[in-house]
Amino acid sequence: MDIKKYIEGNPILRDVYEKKETLWINPHLGEGEVSLSMEDIIDAKERLERFAPLIFKLFPDTRESGGIIESPLREIPKMKENFKSVKGRFFLKMDSHLPISGSIKARGGVYEVLKYAEDLAIKEGIINHESDYSILIEEKNRDFFKKHTIQVGSTGNLGLSIGITSAQIGFKVKVHMSNDARQWKKDLLREKGVEVVEYREDYSMAVKKGRELSEGDPLSYFIDDENSKTLFLGYAVAALRLKEQFKEQGIKVDSEHPLFIYIPCGVGGAPGGVNFGIKEVFKASHVFFIEPVNSPCMLIGMATGLNSEISVKDFNLSGKTQADGLAVGRASGFVGEFIRPILSGISTIHDPKLFKYLKMLKESEDIEIEPSAAAAFMGPESLFNCPLGKEYIKNLNMDNSIHILWATGGNMVPRSEMDEFLNA
Ligand SMILES: *Cc1c(COP(=O)(O)O)cnc(C)c1O
């Protein structure tokens, strides 16, 4: 592919090509409409509520919330002190501490497994929407699910989330892991009875191989991170829950108190789903993604308009990063297209800064997150310091702004590995 014309016509894409940190502001924000609605988000939320009695029984760490999988929202004023140039308040959305898999994948991944289980069980006449879904763990129902296989391609966290949930319900499950996946994630899954298939290739290839294998088996269902609307809606529910948390904590969001969300991006499903939900729920909101300088697949796809037709390799970038959840070379085409009218921008980050932020958060607030999640802190930094960022916020009421740093993962990282991150 000849990328010269993109680099010459666009200084941001030149920065990307030169592996410089940068901020891209989406010129298409506000143009056109999205193809899903609030009703779809509410449908997903209600499905999760139907499953709460089952989740409650299967996952003890959801007992306190009655089987609802949700993470804390915590103000982090001491961390904020490190960002002198940024106005407003900092909050951490702690998906790093979500039940089941300790990452944002416990939203979309778990949701799609549950939706598939519900579809199968309704078709089989085991339940209807009014049933107590906890009967699904009865032996005879588990025997039914055992006949079905769920497959997924993953850099790690999606595999953890889908593998753990599927195995608990009784499904056979195969996780196709790319070369970036950490050993402890594979070990943990195998311990839970999940079949882990390892690839020497990258994430896109793991997805492709998994999809092919699944297509050849009529009793197999492939969860497709590059195309799935179901995963997407599972993530979007987060916005409705965030609204409740704001209410509980007395936090106001309106044009006098604008909301900024910063969320690390890999293939785009998780941040895209959250972006959609946030824009449906909060009028005065602005959503930014963050990607590593070596794998800014969504930035390249959206800024060139080629979406999934272009890969970071075309920009001569390696796709390699310590942020394993973000090590994706080609963005979801579905998501890139979908968020075109609703995403505010994307900034990029150098790997060493991931560890700087990770340590800063530990020292200031005693909270541990993984490198991928730490990328979120690049969001406000670039928004308040890059010329295009300053331009974006110049007419907004920033003194009262609310900044949500979306901590996408962390608490399943083994102690020894976290210590390595903290000492990196
Ligand atoms: C998966 C993941 C992301 C990004 O989600 P995508 O859907 O791949 O864009 C960010 N952070 C962590 C920790 C993740 O596991």
Side-chain angles (χ1 to χ4, degrees), residues 103-105 157 225 235 264-271 325-326 370 372-373 408-409:
S103 83
I104 192 167
K105 303 302 192 308
N157 284 343
D225 201 11
Y235 294 120
C265 178
V267 73
L326 315 182
E370 63 185 87
S372 298
T408 45

Side-chain angles (χ1 to χ4, degrees), residues 263-279:
I263 182 161
C265 178
V267 73
V274 170
N275 184 178
F276 167 54
I278 292 289
K279 296 299 278 189

Side-chain angles (χ1 to χ4, degrees), residues 203-222:
Y203 167 78
S204 303
M205 191 54 85
V207 171
K208 184 162 173 269
K209 293 267 174 66
R211 192 188 285 131
E212 280 166 12
L213 275 172
S214 188
E215 274 164 6
D217 177 354
L219 288 181
S220 171
Y221 178 72
F222 186 68

Side-chain angles (χ1 to χ4, degrees), residues 111-296:
Y111 176 68
E112 184 150 1
V113 172
L114 297 178
K115 173 151 192 323
Y116 184 59
E118 183 185 56
D119 290 347
L120 286 176
I122 287 177
K123 210 164 141 208
E124 188 71 9
I126 301 173
I127 51 168
N128 60 45
H129 280 185
E130 277 69 48
S131 307
D132 173 357
Y133 281 21
S134 66
I135 63 165
L136 294 176
I137 54 172
E138 289 170 9
E139 208 48 44
K140 63 175 194 299
N141 293 330
R142 285 182 62 86
D143 285 343
F144 166 70
F145 289 124
K146 233 178 253 170
K147 290 183 255 166
H148 298 266
T149 305
I150 290 184
Q151 307 200 42
V152 64
S154 172
T155 62
N157 284 343
L158 187 63
L160 273 188
S161 167
I162 286 171
I164 292 170
T165 313
S166 305
Q168 281 287 345
I169 288 181
F171 286 114
K172 271 193 279 203
V173 48
K174 273 189 207 175
V175 175
H176 303 269
M177 289 276 206
S178 64
N179 55 7
D180 319 278
R182 308 251 162 201
Q183 190 59 43
W184 68 265
K185 294 182 183 172
K186 300 176 200 167
D187 295 342
L188 180 68
L189 281 174
R190 288 186 172 123
E191 235 169 73
K192 306 248 177 202
V194 173
E195 186 183 336
V196 177
V197 189
E198 299 183 56
Y199 293 87
R200 283 220 215 117
E201 294 98 337
D202 68 359
Y203 167 78
S204 303
M205 191 54 85
V207 171
K208 184 162 173 269
K209 293 267 174 66
R211 192 188 285 131
E212 280 166 12
L213 275 172
S214 188
E215 274 164 6
D217 177 354
L219 288 181
S220 171
Y221 178 72
F222 186 68
I223 296 186
D224 195 335
D225 201 11
E226 290 177 339
N227 297 295
S228 170
K229 290 205 170 75
T230 306
L231 272 177
F232 192 78
L233 286 168
Y235 294 120
V237 172
L240 291 171
R241 307 266 182 76
L242 187 64
K243 188 178 175 188
E244 286 169 27
Q245 290 180 318
F246 280 162
K247 209 161 147 197
E248 282 160 18
Q249 300 188 22
I251 299 159
K252 236 203 314 213
V253 172
D254 53 31
S255 60
E256 295 301 304
H257 306 79
L259 175 64
F260 290 79
I261 307 274
Y262 309 97
I263 182 161
C265 178
V267 73
V274 170
N275 184 178
F276 167 54
I278 292 289
K279 296 299 278 189
E280 288 291 316
V281 174
F282 304 100
K283 262 210 183 96
S285 63
H286 308 268
V287 180
F288 290 86
F289 293 175
I290 302 89
E291 298 185 301
V293 289
N294 284 322
S295 61

